[in-house]
Amino acid sequence: MSRPRLLDTIVAQATPRGLGAVALVRLSGPRSWEIAAGMMAEAGNAQGNGNPLREWPVRSGRLRTLYRPGTREAIDQALVSVFRAPASYTGEDVVEIYTHGSLSIPTEVVEGCRVLGARVAEAGEFTQRAYLNGKMDLTQAEAVDDIVRAASPRARAVALRQLDRGLSRRIARLRSELIGLAARLVHHIDFPEEDDAPVPVANIAAEADGVMGRIDRLLATAPAGELLREGATVVLAGPPNAGKSSLFNALVGSERAIVTAEPGTTRDAIEAVVAMDGFPFRLVDTAGLREGESGIERMGIEIAHRYLDEADAIIFCREVGDANGAKGWREAEWKGWREWRCPVVSVRTKWDLAGRKMVPDGDEIPVSAHSGEGLAALKDRLGSMIFGGLTRGGREVGGVVTNRRQADHLRVARRELESFAGALRKGIPGEFASTHLKSAESALEEIVGVVGEEEILDRVFGDFCIGK
Amino acid sequence: MILRYDVAVVGGGHAGVEAAAAAARLGCRTILVTPDLGRIGQMSCNPAIGGVAKGTVVREVDAMGGIMGRATDATGIQFRMLNRSKGPAVWGPRAQCDRARYPIAVRKFLDELDGLDLFQDLVTGIEFRGSRERIRSVRGLRTRSGVVVKCEALIVTAGTFLRGKIHLGQGTGHGAGRAGEEPSIELAEALGAVGLRMGRFKTGTPPRVDGRSVDFAKCERQDGDAGPLRFSCYYREPRLRQIPCWVTWSGPELNEIVTRNLERSALYGGEISGQGPRYCPSIEDKVNRFPTARRHQIFLEPEGLDTNELYVNGLSTSLPAEVQAEFLRSIPGLAKTRMTRPGYAIEYDYFPPDQLRHTLQVRSIGGLYFAGQINGTTGYEEAAGQGLIAGANAALAVTGRGPLVVERDQGYVGVLIDDLVTKGVDEPYRLFTSRAEFRLLLRQDNAGRRLGALAREAGLLTEEQSRALGRRLRQEKDGKRWFRGYSLDPARANAVLMEAGSAPIDRSARVGELVKRPRVTAEALAKAAGADAPTLESEVLATIEFDFKYAGYVRREEERAMHLREQAQFRLPDETPYGRFVTLSHEAREKLARIRPQSLAQAARIPGVSPADLQNLVLEVRKWEGRVTGRSMVNGS
């Protein structure tokens, strides 16, 4: 998106296209009341529609007929609400029009508004205006997108916390700690003749270490926080006939929330988005990993490896009967797996077939797609392994890092702070060292968007849905 | 009697002196009018000049051809470099001055200037051009004795005199501009009548005592620095005999006396309404706000070589004289002290400085300039810096030349003035190094390099000063070239390195690299190079050393400064109709309309103007310019 154009009035359908009881069309900008009034005006009957919108009570609905501009042709009967700047979502004058939820009605209303002078909004532009008008900071604006996209209850809960300034507050606390450090230095530098002995420089460095530790703790939430958006990719892997597909179906089946299975043969990978333990996962069933003879099998193996490379976790399946077998596995491939970056959960499938005396190896989880045994334990393990940093005592922690942009700035802040403490310890004078402190502070400010940078805006608002 | 001048200056304090001198140096016929010519350049508060940030301002004033640095050198009785244990960017030269000799020196340097006349009288009125409803510009001034001075530009530097009121305890308030001096009532009224906003500040002074009654054995002696230290980069004034200051500490007994008498204080009795400076609190404030502090540091500063009087720095107060005498006697070393002058608090009118341009011209009235405490600042140094800029700009405007503006990355004077006109003040304003976002660039030792050429181009430097500047800059340049290019062999280098506790080298190394090491000085390296090194003054060597030692940091700061300069390219015309920019927040519109920033960079510094407001501002200004000019001329697209 290019430079924000805040001077004009924008319009968009805020609800998804398709049939439904109600559809919402939203107008925002200096001319939104005027344009909405235009939609309610029947040609040749200028006074026929009651009070002008500026006299309407705000935040209450009125039923009105909408006309195609300049005609007597009615589009729909709609509920119309007005909001007065700055008390609106965007901080501007806003009109919300609730029409019947057909395919054509909202489209015609948007078109009518466009004819009357509104511009069709770009993706995320309403939220962008809310940010630019100071209604929310950047992390909150990002949270709006996260809430809409949240594919699991926990992801939504984290996003809601974010909208409620969860991360902003943690950043604000860190920032005020940095300002505290700067204040020590100011006292040290600008008031050399004061009576109170200044805080020794070594103490200031130690305090900076403390802040760094707190940044680290926040950064530790980043990998999981980022996975909340797209879901953690968990790949089922193991030899052919290890019961991977059954386990996949069992995991997907009991959490039927959102399933988008891609078409494919058994040799291809099948994918499903699933909420487990309240967290979003992209579950992938791969073809058997063992090198096969035929071309098709080889293809299957390629697909498997491609997924394994982007996996956030692997469920490594072996069936009960494979107790000592598959030696080729262990030596040729399993070894290599251990060097992968992502964690591996070993499961022993078809446990219902196991004899009474059988015990699982090490930390293997015995599961049965047939009886459902062990599924809960597996979900629990996956949830805590990947998203453990986001919860404390079963509740979501307040304020986590949910995207790359936030993490990048935090890392800059941390690095500058490290340089700051290092410089002080090396005996570099405070006024030089403090330039690092200033940079750390600006990095934190960029996270919440105190500093306005067009690039950030473009990145933040680029992939938004229309009308939020 | 009617007199005609190009520039008239009202007031003869530190601001007025620099303003008059700058206008005269720029070739304008200038007159300085003040009620008492015997008190030109008077030090109204403590007998010291300089300090952290403030000392750098003195050097900047000096680099631009001003008087304060030279007068301090000529009358200093103790010189110290504050913050010497810290980095060179925050060193602050400071001098105790002989209070009686300082005004004499100032008067002497003023008398050297052609085209500057002095006149003793109280200014009681200002004459304007334009109608009563719409005053356009200033035309002259009137004095109490009926003299009229016609002028093109008028600089008001009234200090604490505008409706000044002195308090020495509850119920003692009386009109005065300084102890024993009459306030300026009519002038305040004349300025108030032209629609300028006014405010009221207060400040205070401590008592002074007879040094013969002080037991110095109970005090700590504080001597000045041993080495040579001076403020002026152009002149070598002979130095007076140097004498020490003394330090002592008040104890719980003083706290008790102050607390017991608190309601007798004019400050706490509710008689004083003006806002005082938080960084320079009265003893009443200290005791009341920090009750846990059992002792307070007190400096006994000598008033001069020919007097026994001492200035009791740290005990500014508005308590009655008898209470002052009582708490003084509670202080170790002062048990038998005789007070010579009680301290007092003073309230005065100021004009919120967001009504000014960067030239210090009142935005709404042509030819009218304000400098010094009238703008809500404190400090001799801050006053001098403003005076020089106001005087120079008045003269430049009168003679049809472009303005002289010091940018924030060029000098503390620039930081000071930009802060004043952009943010206004809510307490008496004093400079700190932390107010300067580019303080690494603004060292006390490089003022000549930062501002000398600027002043020379504006015409502020005399022949003599220009030549001295040229010599200094040439030495810096030659010296730096030598440091970059010359290599020292281990035999000669290692003695220096060892001395500094630094690791020895086994093959030749550039001196410019060696000097970056901690504790290794440029002077020692130059000495080790012997006859190979160019002859450089020790001050120049110090400057070169700092330049090399912190080059990485300085470069980073210079890059930031460049970035800001780009933002400053987006100009905001004076007539920009902020009230019509509905996409800006109400607060932003109101502040922008009041302050009328010159550039986007300045707008960004106004508190209450958000990044979102700035983006909208760019769009609105482009749109408005497009309408006004037919196409976007001023700021491109």
Side-chain angles (χ1 to χ4, degrees):
Chain A
M1 194 189 305
S2 61
R3 188 176 278 285
R5 288 166 284 174
L6 282 137
L7 307 181
D8 50 5
T9 297
I10 53 173
V11 65
Q13 181 176 348
T15 45
R17 283 161 168 277
L19 300 181
V22 178
L24 168 60
V25 173
R26 194 186 257 164
L27 270 162
S28 178
R31 291 187 59 214
S32 50
W33 295 0
E34 176 197 330
I35 290 167
M39 290 302 294
M40 293 182 261
E42 186 183 3
N45 183 19
Q47 267 91 53
N49 285 289
N51 297 336
L53 268 69
R54 92 179 80 86
E55 288 168 22
W56 287 21
V58 295
R59 292 162 185 252
S60 61
R62 291 192 173 192
L63 194 62
R64 286 288 182 274
T65 304
L66 305 180
Y67 298 92
R68 191 159 296 165
T71 72
R72 312 184 75 150
E73 192 185 328
I75 300 174
D76 191 11
Q77 283 219 322
L79 195 66
V80 180
S81 291
V82 302
F83 300 82
R84 194 190 312 275
S88 72
Y89 179 73
T90 58
E92 304 172 330
D93 287 342
V94 165
V95 178
E96 293 190 345
I97 303 170
Y98 300 86
T99 69
H100 291 100
S102 83
L103 275 172
S104 62
I105 292 170
T107 311
E108 284 188 41
V109 174
V110 168
E111 175 57 20
C113 291
R114 201 189 59 76
V115 168
L116 291 171
R119 177 171 57 77
V120 177
E122 294 178 51
E125 207 173 351
F126 286 92
T127 304
Q128 181 179 23
R129 287 191 173 196
Y131 164 67
L132 289 174
N133 289 317
K135 298 294 286 187
M136 52 176 73
D137 68 31
L138 268 182
T139 64
Q140 289 177 295
E142 287 168 337
V144 171
D145 191 40
D146 290 343
I147 288 170
V148 174
R149 287 169 186 264
S152 75
R154 297 262 200 174
R156 196 173 57 236
V158 168
L160 275 170
R161 286 246 175 169
Q162 220 76 318
L163 187 63
D164 194 29
R165 306 182 60 82
L167 178 60
S168 315
R169 267 196 287 264
R170 274 182 91 162
I171 298 292
R173 271 200 297 276
L174 287 170
R175 184 162 170 262
S176 101
E177 289 192 81
L178 295 193
I179 289 168
L181 288 176
R184 300 291 174 81
L185 279 175
V186 168
H187 183 254
H188 181 72
I189 289 167
D190 274 322
F191 300 92
E193 300 215 289
E194 288 307 300
D195 199 7
D196 315 319
V199 179
V201 167
N203 291 14
I204 297 179
E207 279 179 51
D209 290 345
V211 182
M212 254 188 283
R214 284 184 279 286
I215 290 180
D216 283 340
R217 276 214 289 288
L218 187 52
L219 264 174
T221 66
E226 287 173 36
L227 290 177
L228 275 178
R229 276 174 83 93
E230 305 298 332
T233 302
V234 174
V235 176
L236 285 146
N241 300 321
K244 298 191 294 292
S245 297
S246 303
L247 181 57
F248 177 86
N249 286 334
L251 288 171
V252 172
S254 60
E255 304 273 352
R256 205 161 266 290
I258 311 148
V259 180
T260 56
E262 287 178 1
T265 69
T266 47
R267 293 289 171 205
D268 217 338
I270 300 172
E271 223 183 288
V273 176
V274 165
M276 297 194 290
D277 196 22
F279 289 113
F281 287 91
R282 246 174 97 218
L283 206 57
V284 182
D285 181 18
T286 70
L289 270 170
R290 188 159 205 192
E291 181 106 14
E293 314 272 315
S294 78
I296 294 175
E297 271 199 75
R298 234 176 263 130
M299 220 169 75
I301 285 159
E302 256 181 45
I303 291 165
H305 278 293
R306 177 163 61 76
Y307 273 101
L308 287 173
D309 283 343
E310 59 184 63
D312 297 303
I314 290 165
I315 303 178
F316 180 56
C317 305
R318 281 186 301 154
E319 61 177 328
V320 165
D322 194 19
N324 300 310
K327 276 207 166 148
W329 259 102
R330 308 208 123 205
E331 267 134 62
E333 310 216 26
W334 177 239
K335 222 184 233 169
W337 290 20
R338 299 218 160 177
E339 287 159 21
W340 290 345
R341 285 173 297 114
C342 73
V344 176
V345 183
S346 292
V347 298
R348 189 58 68 116
T349 55
K350 307 179 189 174
W351 195 252
D352 50 309
L353 301 180
R356 282 213 182 134
K357 287 181 189 157
M358 256 185 134
V359 281
D361 284 359
D363 58 355
E364 262 183 355
I365 301 173
V367 296
S368 165
H370 184 68
S371 70
E373 186 184 352
L375 293 182
L378 174 57
K379 290 173 187 171
D380 202 55
R381 174 85 64 88
L382 286 169
S384 63
M385 205 162 70
I386 295 174
F387 294 105
L390 301 184
T391 55
R392 199 176 301 136
R395 290 194 57 198
E396 294 75 28
V397 296
V400 300
V401 176
T402 55
N403 62 38
R404 175 67 57 82
R405 185 189 74 81
Q406 297 163 355
D408 284 351
H409 286 308
L410 268 178
R411 283 188 197 104
V412 171
R414 196 207 184 281
R415 197 178 60 227
E416 291 290 344
L417 211 49
E418 198 170 1
S419 305
F420 169 69
L424 286 183
R425 292 200 168 97
K426 264 190 279 178
I428 289 173
E431 79 270 24
F432 293 99
S434 71
T435 58
H436 292 295
L437 198 56
K438 189 76 214 154
S439 302
E441 208 184 301
S442 335
L444 291 185
E445 284 165 356
E446 297 223 20
I447 294 176
V448 286
V450 176
V451 185
E453 290 267 335
E454 254 178 84
E455 277 171 60
I456 316 175
L457 292 179
D458 290 350
R459 233 163 90 192
V460 169
F461 296 109
D463 51 4
F464 261 61
C465 297
I466 291 181
K468 281 187 300 293
Chain B
M1 183 167 73
I2 296 180
L3 304 169
R4 283 173 210 283
Y5 284 87
D6 298 322
V7 175
V9 177
V10 181
H14 306 286
V17 161
E18 299 293 351
R25 289 203 303 277
L26 284 169
C28 281
R29 296 217 341 105
T30 305
I31 186 168
L32 186 155
V33 187
T34 187
D36 186 349
L37 284 180
R39 294 180 194 250
I40 280 194
Q42 172 85 4
M43 299 201 282
S44 324
C45 200
N46 64 333
I49 283 179
V52 178
K54 288 164 166 278
T56 310
V57 172
V58 179
R59 294 205 187 251
E60 290 175 2
V61 167
D62 170 74
M64 292 189 281
I67 283 175
M68 181 170 266
R70 193 180 174 196
T72 306
D73 287 345
T75 61
I77 50 178
Q78 187 203 73
F79 289 83
R80 283 204 305 140
M81 184 65 85
L82 304 187
N83 269 347
R84 203 188 275 278
S85 65
K86 292 156 202 164
V90 296
W91 288 12
R94 183 182 191 275
Q96 296 297 142
C97 290
D98 186 305
R99 193 190 291 276
R101 282 181 172 83
Y102 188 87
I104 296 168
V106 168
R107 179 77 183 269
K108 181 181 142 214
F109 299 141
L110 284 182
D111 286 349
E112 289 174 4
L113 294 165
D114 291 332
L116 174 60
D117 293 337
L118 307 179
F119 191 76
Q120 177 168 309
D121 208 340
L122 184 74
V123 174
T124 52
I126 300 178
E127 297 188 347
F128 295 100
R129 290 194 188 87
S131 64
R132 194 173 241 298
E133 292 72 35
R134 182 82 186 86
I135 289 166
R136 286 204 324 276
S137 63
V138 72
R139 190 167 60 185
L141 61 82
R142 282 188 311 276
T143 70
R144 177 147 64 190
S145 54
V147 173
V148 171
V149 177
K150 301 265 187 209
C151 60
E152 296 302 312
L154 179 72
I155 305 165
V156 183
T157 67
T160 56
F161 278 69
L162 295 180
R163 271 194 280 255
K165 192 175 179 190
I166 278 179
H167 303 264
L168 273 119
Q170 183 67 3
T172 64
H174 61 278
R178 268 190 301 237
E181 293 179 64
E182 196 185 345
S184 252
I185 307 287
E186 292 97 328
L187 181 58
E189 283 165 356
L191 290 170
V194 298
L196 297 172
R197 277 178 288 123
M198 299 173 88
R200 202 135 170 94
F201 276 163
K202 71 114 182 137
T203 186
T205 70
R208 297 177 216 174
V209 297
D210 187 334
R212 292 170 302 174
S213 63
V214 173
D215 182 358
F216 291 110
K218 292 208 167 76
C219 304
E220 205 171 90
R221 181 181 166 125
Q222 189 184 56
D223 283 303
D225 290 357
L229 177 57
R230 59 195 169 87
F231 281 90
S232 180
C233 61
Y234 302 133
Y235 299 98
R236 299 276 186 281
E237 295 295 330
R239 202 181 247 205
L240 297 177
R241 178 165 61 87
Q242 302 292 292
I243 56 175
C245 291
W246 302 88
V247 185
T248 180
W249 285 268
S250 74
E253 200 183 331
L254 179 137
N255 293 9
E256 188 272 317
I257 296 167
V258 170
T259 309
R260 175 153 47 78
N261 289 286
L262 206 56
E263 81 285 357
R264 300 178 67 189
S265 151
L267 271 174
Y268 280 80
E271 199 172 337
I272 294 180
S273 56
Q275 172 68 42
R278 278 173 305 170
Y279 44 80
C280 187
S282 63
I283 189 65
E284 293 98 296
D285 273 338
K286 289 192 211 179
V287 168
N288 200 44
R289 283 175 33 207
F290 304 98
T292 52
R294 293 177 53 79
R295 59 179 218 169
H296 297 282
Q297 190 175 32
I298 288 155
F299 289 92
L300 301 175
E301 302 179 4
E303 288 269 307
L305 295 178
D306 304 322
T307 172
N308 290 307
E309 248 184 307
L310 294 168
Y311 181 91
V312 189
N313 199 347
L315 286 181
S316 154
T317 184
S318 68
L319 282 161
E322 57 175 327
V323 181
Q324 297 185 33
E326 187 186 352
F327 72 54
L328 281 172
R329 284 192 297 271
S330 77
I331 298 165
L334 302 183
K336 293 187 179 135
T337 196
R338 291 186 300 276
M339 183 166 70
T340 51
R341 310 179 204 211
Y344 59 86
I346 181 163
E347 281 186 287
Y348 54 95
D349 288 346
Y350 76 98
F351 290 84
D354 54 8
Q355 304 174 94
L356 305 175
R357 296 176 192 280
H358 280 91
T359 57
L360 296 181
Q361 186 215 312
V362 175
R363 204 183 302 112
S364 57
I365 301 174
L368 182 62
Y369 295 77
F370 288 168
Q373 249 164 325
I374 189 172
N375 290 336
T377 62
T378 65
Y380 309 150
E381 305 81 0
E382 286 87 345
Q386 292 171 66
L388 187 141
I389 295 296
N393 279 298
L396 290 167
V398 166
T399 53
R401 287 175 277 177
L404 172 71
V405 173
V406 176
E407 302 291 342
R408 296 182 70 92
D409 57 354
Q410 287 180 309
Y412 277 99
V413 169
V415 173
L416 162 71
I417 291 173
D418 184 64
D419 278 351
L420 292 180
V421 306
T422 305
K423 298 178 182 160
V425 291
D426 41 28
E427 69 179 315
Y429 180 102
R430 180 190 140 179
L431 270 171
F432 304 111
T433 72
S434 41
R435 293 201 199 265
E437 65 274 47
F438 304 114
R439 70 178 164 192
L440 300 189
L441 308 179
L442 311 182
R443 299 197 314 251
Q444 51 86 28
D445 64 282
N446 64 9
R449 188 168 68 201
R450 288 186 277 119
L451 297 170
L454 195 74
R456 186 170 53 198
E457 278 156 34
L460 276 168
L461 298 191
T462 61
E463 277 291 307
E464 191 184 3
Q465 290 167 335
S466 274
R467 270 197 307 276
L469 176 70
R471 267 197 308 276
R472 165 83 195 226
L473 296 184
R474 221 170 14 256
Q475 273 201 34
E476 281 185 24
K477 213 168 135 201
D478 294 348
K480 282 177 95 163
R481 193 182 311 125
W482 182 78
F483 269 81
R484 265 196 296 273
Y486 186 79
S487 289
L488 209 54
D489 52 75
R492 286 182 296 167
N494 284 340
V496 176
L497 297 178
M498 215 119 85
E499 182 74 25
S502 194
I505 51 174
D506 50 15
R507 69 175 73 124
S508 294
R510 296 264 154 89
V511 272
E513 288 303 313
L514 294 174
V515 78
K516 287 182 182 172
R517 296 187 178 194
R519 296 176 300 278
V520 175
T521 66
E523 191 148 22
L525 290 167
K527 203 174 282 172
D532 289 351
T535 326
L536 301 170
E537 288 169 49
S538 62
E539 287 168 8
V540 175
L541 278 165
T543 293
I544 291 171
E545 178 183 322
F546 301 150
D547 285 345
F548 275 96
K549 258 199 171 75
Y550 303 102
Y553 280 98
V554 168
R555 204 172 308 119
R556 224 169 104 138
E557 196 125 304
E558 276 167 349
E559 280 162 17
R560 280 203 303 122
M562 286 285 260
H563 184 73
L564 194 80
R565 292 247 164 157
E566 281 163 24
Q567 236 190 4
Q569 300 283 310
F570 192 98
R571 310 303 299 178
L572 296 170
D574 263 350
E575 60 277 16
T576 307
Y578 296 104
R580 300 215 308 257
F581 292 171
V582 292
T583 59
L584 272 62
S585 73
H586 185 75
E587 186 188 3
R589 264 183 273 168
E590 186 265 321
K591 291 218 162 130
L592 288 164
R594 176 148 58 79
I595 291 157
R596 306 225 155 251
Q598 297 298 297
S599 71
L600 196 64
Q602 193 196 346
R605 290 193 289 272
I606 300 174
V609 177
S610 70
D613 289 323
L614 289 176
Q615 300 214 22
N616 293 0
L617 180 59
V618 170
L619 301 172
E620 293 268 27
V621 167
R622 288 215 174 107
K623 203 171 104 180
W624 167 72
E625 280 173 352
R627 243 193 334 259
V628 172
T629 62
R631 64 201 171 95
S632 207
M633 297 270 294
V634 182
N635 286 308
S637 59

